[in-house]
Amino acid sequence: MGQTKRWHLHLRGYAVYVRAKSGWTRHWFLSDLLAALGVTPQRLTEDMFRQAVNALDSRPYTVVVDEVEHALANHTVMEGIRDISDATGIPLVLVGMDQVKDRIRSRYPQISSRIAVIVYFQPVSKEDVAKAATTLLEEVKLADDLVEEVFRQCEGRMRLVMNALGNCERIARQRKAGTLSLKDVEGQELIHDWQSKRPRLVKLQRQV
């Protein structure tokens, strides 16, 4: 299951999710936002803006803009994001890497002054991994020893947890298994380590 689909499932009725892209323009941003809102965009940018405002006024969502660092290079995109917030009064969440806060503060002080809360994501815990598996996996349950292995391999990075869960779901589907344990994934690659020349395969510790 794709990450955007997961957002859609878990934030349906509460928020809409858009991912900023390299080369985003104001028009492209509004087109993506309207698509997330389920509205067919008109041709002109100003008409699309009115469509977005009307849709958000009729059913106020929180708007989540992920990977917002891609939008920082284009002043009109950031102003468009601010205009949506000003026109609707809805909460708007900007998600990005560590340096985003300082870049917004230096380049867009009028936007920085509107930021009410800054949240830093901490490394995920084993409990976070277990909860993600329970919440996101629809067809398979992970045994405690496999949750422990995913936690160990991911080293606190949620993106890797998502990749590992996707691979667990794929393995379970191939095996037609409703529950997956560490033994079931022995010799499989849960997380691709691009820095290593060899696959990072799951190995069981044998009793001597």
Side-chain angles (χ1 to χ4, degrees):
M1 184 188 300
Q3 192 168 3
T4 301
K5 186 177 179 183
R6 296 186 195 278
W7 274 97
H8 176 69
L9 287 174
H10 294 285
L11 299 182
R12 182 185 297 155
Y14 303 98
V16 290
Y17 170 91
V18 292
R19 183 178 67 83
K21 302 170 184 66
S22 179
W24 235 17
T25 61
R26 184 183 178 104
H27 188 93
W28 191 357
F29 155 63
L30 290 170
S31 179
D32 283 352
L33 177 58
L34 288 171
L37 291 166
V39 177
T40 301
Q42 296 185 18
R43 187 169 60 88
L44 298 179
T45 302
E46 54 265 36
D47 292 332
M48 293 167 65
F49 178 80
R50 282 191 288 270
Q51 284 182 290
V53 170
N54 290 336
L56 292 168
D57 279 342
S58 63
R59 188 171 183 179
Y61 290 96
T62 295
V63 174
V64 179
V65 182
D66 196 7
E67 299 189 28
V68 72
E69 54 267 22
H70 292 307
L72 298 183
N74 191 322
H75 181 80
T76 63
V77 174
M78 296 302 295
E79 288 298 330
I81 291 173
R82 185 187 72 164
D83 289 343
I84 288 290
S85 178
D86 287 350
T88 61
I90 62 169
L92 205 147
V93 180
L94 305 179
V95 183
M97 302 298 286
D98 291 343
Q99 67 272 20
V100 162
K101 178 192 70 172
D102 293 332
R103 291 175 64 188
I104 291 177
R105 180 180 295 165
S106 62
R107 298 188 63 179
Y108 303 100
Q110 72 281 15
I111 295 176
S112 178
S113 65
R114 286 170 164 79
I115 296 176
V117 179
I118 297 175
V119 177
Y120 294 94
F121 289 97
Q122 303 300 321
V124 298
S125 65
K126 185 170 68 174
E127 291 71 25
D128 294 328
V129 174
K131 186 172 183 179
T134 301
T135 304
L136 301 177
L137 295 180
E138 300 172 341
E139 303 172 1
V140 61
K141 178 180 179 181
L142 302 192
D144 290 343
D145 58 356
L146 183 51
V147 169
E148 178 74 38
E149 178 68 12
V150 171
F151 169 68
R152 185 187 69 80
Q153 288 200 23
C154 290
E155 300 175 341
R157 290 173 287 182
M158 191 61 194
R159 185 181 297 275
L160 296 184
V161 173
M162 300 293 284
N163 292 340
L165 294 183
N167 284 327
C168 288
E169 197 169 45
R170 174 183 54 79
I171 294 168
R173 192 178 298 116
Q174 290 172 347
R175 293 173 173 264
K176 298 182 180 178
T179 302
L180 215 60
S181 69
L182 184 61
K183 184 178 180 180
D184 296 321
V185 299
E186 183 179 10
Q188 301 281 341
E189 184 180 33
L190 293 181
I191 300 166
H192 178 67
D193 185 356
W194 61 271
Q195 293 180 317
S196 175
K197 295 181 179 180
R198 295 181 179 179
R200 189 176 181 180
L201 305 181
V202 174
K203 296 180 181 180
L204 298 184
Q205 293 199 3
R206 306 296 181 185
Q207 298 289 337
V208 179

